[in-house]
Amino acid sequence: MKEFQDNGQGQLIGVIDASTRTVKFCVFVSQHIKEIAEHAIDLEPITPQEGWSEQDPLKILEAVKRCMQKVISDLGEKRAKNILTIGITNQRETTIVWDKTTGKPLYNAIVWNDIRTDKTVDVVLAKVPENNKNHFKPICGLPVSPYFSAFKLKWLIHYVPAVKKAIKEKKCLFGTVDTWLLWNLTGGPNGGKHMTDVTNASRTFLMNIETLYWDTQLLNTFHIPIDILPDIRSSSEIYGKICDSWPLANVTISGILGNQQSALLGQSCFKEGMAKNTYRSGCFLLYNTGTTRVQSSHGLVTTVAYKFGDSPAIYALEGSVAVAGAAMKWLRDNMGFIKNINEETESLAKEVFSTGDVYFVPAFKGLYAPYWRKDARGIICGLTAFSTKQHIIRAALESVCFQTRDILEAMNKDCGIPLSKLHVDGIMTTNNLLMQLQADITGIPVIRAHSQDITALGVAMAAGSAKGIEVWDIYAEERELVPIDTFLPTSTEDERDARYTKWKMAVQRSLGWVSPKKSAIMTEERYQMLASIPGSLYAILSFGLLLLSTYLEK
Ligand SMILES: Nc1ncnc2c1ncn2[C@@H]1O[C@H](COP(=O)(O)OP(=O)(O)O)[C@@H](O)[C@H]1O
Ligand SMILES: O=P(O)(O)OC[C@H](O)CO
């Protein structure tokens, strides 16, 4: 393939990539797969309590602005004038509410992997027949889980008086990170566009996966007024223009995609049956099912993959894993086993030939697909007096591969035709050992995209091909393809299956760790009652209820 030479002439597409840990602004030349400029800023997570995870929405905006300024200065003002349009790709499900008259957030962003909404989930489950967590799947494609935005929004409405007040006064707006960025970039309180795209909306638990509109039954279930929700748009169209108070004023914004859907496009998985797995903090496997909404019977979610303008929506089956690279961070920050993740993880894990039968289930915040068990917690099992940190690091890498196999097994059952190869991307895939372990654990070739720009590339394509922009033909025959390399399985089927059986045993042991006390079961009435009292009183009352229940149990 011809190496791309930047001759300084091409039309440029900017991308804001706002992920869980990092905000980045980067620039592509239309029709080309490599970023020509980028600047990224890490965001400090806010963790006020165990299981809680927040971000300051104003810090996200500030980081975006600084990244844009730096990239413009690196490119030079003259070249930056060639930026024709921009796209936004973002961490999904993360929930922000703000006052539309002041533009001020009413609370920190509640991040997708925050599990404070445990009780909110119980309230919703208490209302459905047999507490079936898949009850709403035919409507929104998703199981009941603290992961999705509606639970976070319900929590905010109940527990944050400023949110309740702003709703009453008709001043409140809700959005995922894309919406927050779009609204601010296009004017904020002065005419900002309050919109989201179908892929982000499909992760809220509020959108009807068939009609692609907000669903009345779901809104009623969560008591969410429709007027705080953004308009749902396609993933590729002109939403508006950047306002004067931002860099790149007057440039259009013409692409929005959740970051996993963006990676699916970045990997050119346009056809039904194509799939990709992205390994970052979490790990997300998406399988393109075309215009068909496949209902999973094996724990996967049905989600919108993308929708280009007026064309029909393309759907995907998704397997979401909450903890992948995050397990390496835990080994570094909490255990002190690793100093530098990028430089040491692979070499330390290679110091041993196997995990020595150690299995690590990193269910720090419960397990997502295909289990959807919020009562699971992390375990390391099979330890002996010979186990070392190297065994545990290797087991952590393997846990990512086993979780991926869990999803592949579910996907193969749902789709009928087993995936014959696995396309992968994301920063973790630079770890060659991880890639080989993945091939050995799944028994299929692992095809690694040789680019760290895949996620941003997807939305650059969506923005560049939008009606009215049309500088990127994503279906062009001579499309430049992302270079790849392949890892082939070296294990036998028997070895694979024996080890996978052990993994399943380890998963079983991680389940049911958080056991809700009978007395703590949440009903709507109790939830409402608790919400109507101030924080300190809430703590005293909860403690009182706990004492009472312990007394009654005796
Ligand atoms: N060489 C490596 N081996 C294993 N894990 C890695 C390696 N490099 C990075 N990681 C992990 O990948 C994740 C990278 O996530 P990142 O792309 O920074 O962010 P996020 O998904 O939070 O937006 C981190 O959790 C890190 O622990
Ligand atoms: O920001 P990432 O890469 O951790 O992605 C997070 C996902 O979008 C959550 O669903």
Side-chain angles (χ1 to χ4, degrees):
M1 195 194 60
K2 241 178 36 200
E3 260 293 294
F4 164 62
Q5 301 287 333
D6 178 20
N7 60 11
Q9 304 297 316
Q11 295 277 23
L12 305 182
I13 318 286
V15 169
I16 297 171
D17 181 350
S19 75
T20 313
R21 295 299 302 266
T22 314
V23 163
K24 172 168 106 171
F25 184 70
C26 57
V27 173
F28 291 84
V29 179
S30 64
Q31 295 291 132
H32 293 285
I33 58 173
K34 272 191 103 47
E35 293 169 1
I36 57 159
E38 72 144 79
H39 187 69
I41 295 177
D42 281 347
L43 294 174
E44 267 312 302
I46 305 167
T47 44
Q49 292 187 32
E50 194 198 323
W52 292 31
S53 179
E54 301 178 357
Q55 273 170 4
D56 179 345
L58 295 176
K59 290 242 162 76
I60 301 179
L61 293 182
E62 198 186 296
V64 169
K65 195 175 258 182
R66 279 175 47 209
C67 289
M68 288 169 90
Q69 283 162 341
K70 176 76 170 66
V71 166
I72 291 169
S73 121
D74 288 352
L75 279 177
E77 290 280 342
K78 193 163 162 246
R79 185 86 206 275
K81 289 230 160 20
N82 284 358
I83 298 180
L84 182 66
T85 193
I86 74 160
I88 299 173
T89 182
N90 57 291
Q91 50 169 308
R92 307 160 308 163
E93 301 95 15
T94 297
T95 299
I96 307 179
V97 279
W98 65 95
D99 181 322
K100 66 178 167 194
T101 60
T102 64
K104 290 212 173 106
L106 296 163
Y107 194 81
N108 275 337
I110 301 186
V111 175
W112 58 275
N113 56 12
D114 181 299
I115 51 169
R116 80 186 61 191
T117 55
D118 233 24
K119 300 278 178 289
T120 317
V121 164
D122 291 341
V123 170
V124 173
L125 276 178
K127 284 186 196 167
V128 303
E130 294 162 25
N131 305 141
N132 175 10
K133 63 182 169 218
N134 293 323
H135 180 78
F136 299 102
K137 253 184 152 183
I139 309 178
C140 61
L142 310 171
V144 173
S145 160
Y147 181 23
F148 304 109
S149 317
F151 300 90
K152 303 177 198 302
L153 183 52
K154 184 171 166 71
W155 186 94
L156 285 163
I157 295 172
H158 278 81
Y159 288 115
V160 182
V163 176
K164 215 182 252 179
K165 185 164 174 276
I167 289 180
K168 226 179 191 170
E169 293 170 356
K170 305 250 173 253
K171 287 181 181 168
C172 181
L173 294 181
F174 152 85
T176 37
V177 173
D178 56 310
T179 305
W180 170 244
L181 291 174
L182 180 73
W183 187 79
N184 279 285
L185 283 161
T186 53
N190 306 313
K193 307 284 182 193
H194 189 222
M195 298 169 183
T196 188
D197 91 302
V198 270
T199 68
N200 277 291
S202 74
R203 317 294 301 186
T204 59
F205 213 97
L206 296 172
M207 189 187 82
N208 186 304
I209 195 81
E210 185 184 350
T211 64
L212 308 180
Y213 288 112
W214 301 120
D215 185 88
T216 313
Q217 185 188 337
L218 294 173
L219 294 181
N220 291 340
T221 303
F222 290 90
H223 305 299
I224 290 171
I226 196 162
D227 58 333
I228 71 169
L229 304 181
D231 284 350
I232 303 175
R233 298 298 183 96
S234 78
S235 319
S236 175
E237 63 178 67
I238 296 176
Y239 311 98
K241 285 189 172 174
I242 299 179
C243 68
D244 289 342
S245 54
W246 281 84
L248 301 178
N250 239 8
V251 168
T252 55
I253 303 169
S254 57
I256 300 180
L257 281 162
N259 57 7
Q260 302 309 323
Q261 284 86 340
S262 191
L264 188 74
L265 277 184
Q267 286 263 28
S268 296
C269 294
F270 302 128
K271 291 202 188 117
E272 205 173 320
M274 296 177 93
K276 69 87 207 179
N277 199 17
T278 303
Y279 301 69
R280 292 167 61 158
S281 291
C283 175
F284 302 89
L285 205 164
L286 270 73
Y287 180 104
N288 185 327
T289 62
T291 49
T292 315
R293 290 179 308 281
V294 175
Q295 270 275 2
S296 173
S297 321
H298 301 93
L300 304 175
V301 308
T302 309
T303 202
V304 181
Y306 52 89
K307 178 173 167 17
F308 279 181
D310 297 334
S311 305
I314 301 299
Y315 291 90
L317 270 179
E318 175 176 319
S320 334
V321 169
V323 177
M328 310 308 144
K329 281 207 172 120
W330 181 78
L331 290 176
R332 183 193 63 189
D333 301 340
N334 298 35
M335 298 293 109
F337 286 180
I338 310 173
K339 283 197 184 70
N340 183 316
I341 293 176
N342 195 23
E343 286 167 15
E344 285 178 351
T345 312
E346 184 169 355
S347 53
L348 284 169
K350 270 185 172 162
E351 285 176 18
V352 288
F353 292 111
S354 73
T355 64
D357 220 19
V358 170
Y359 288 78
F360 179 0
V361 184
F364 298 146
K365 295 182 172 183
L367 285 170
Y368 286 3
Y371 307 99
W372 299 106
R373 291 288 294 262
K374 66 185 175 65
D375 60 346
R377 283 300 176 270
I379 55 159
I380 298 176
C381 55
L383 293 173
T384 69
F386 292 99
S387 304
T388 61
K389 72 171 185 181
Q390 284 80 352
H391 292 110
I392 296 174
I393 294 169
R394 198 174 171 112
L397 287 177
E398 284 196 354
S399 77
V400 180
C401 308
F402 281 123
Q403 293 184 93
T404 298
R405 174 148 177 190
D406 281 338
I407 287 166
L408 276 177
E409 301 263 323
M411 218 157 247
N412 291 343
K413 283 182 203 145
D414 277 333
C415 299
I417 310 161
L419 262 191
S420 57
K421 53 191 179 196
L422 183 65
H423 285 271
V424 303
D425 60 86
I427 187 79
M428 268 193 106
T429 63
T430 54
N431 187 320
N432 289 323
L433 175 65
L434 175 77
M435 297 293 89
Q436 189 55 53
L437 290 170
Q438 186 66 88
D440 288 344
I441 284 170
T442 51
I444 54 173
V446 170
I447 302 183
R448 172 170 66 182
H450 239 269
S451 164
Q452 293 314 315
D453 312 338
I454 294 288
T455 301
L457 175 63
V459 83
M461 287 156 59
S465 60
K467 193 166 173 217
I469 303 290
E470 292 149 275
V471 293
W472 202 316
D473 178 1
I474 56 176
Y475 303 112
E477 288 281 307
E478 310 85 42
R479 192 160 36 91
E480 193 181 6
L481 294 173
V482 176
I484 51 162
D485 50 16
T486 303
F487 294 81
L488 297 172
T490 56
S491 56
T492 66
E493 197 170 340
D494 284 351
E495 281 162 6
R496 281 196 291 278
D497 289 349
R499 300 217 53 222
Y500 188 55
T501 305
K502 270 280 180 68
W503 162 258
K504 296 291 259 184
M505 283 165 64
V507 169
Q508 283 307 316
R509 282 164 169 72
S510 77
L511 303 178
W513 199 256
V514 184
S515 47
K517 280 195 164 259
K518 246 192 260 158
S519 54
I521 287 174
M522 258 304 156
T523 60
E524 180 74 45
E525 293 69 35
R526 184 159 173 243
Y527 191 71
Q528 296 281 4
M529 195 261 286
L530 289 176
S532 65
I533 52 179
S536 51
L537 210 62
Y538 169 74
I540 295 168
L541 206 77
S542 305
F543 185 61
L545 282 172
L546 190 71
L547 285 182
L548 184 69
S549 63
T550 315
Y551 172 76
L552 289 176
E553 268 173 23
K554 283 183 190 161

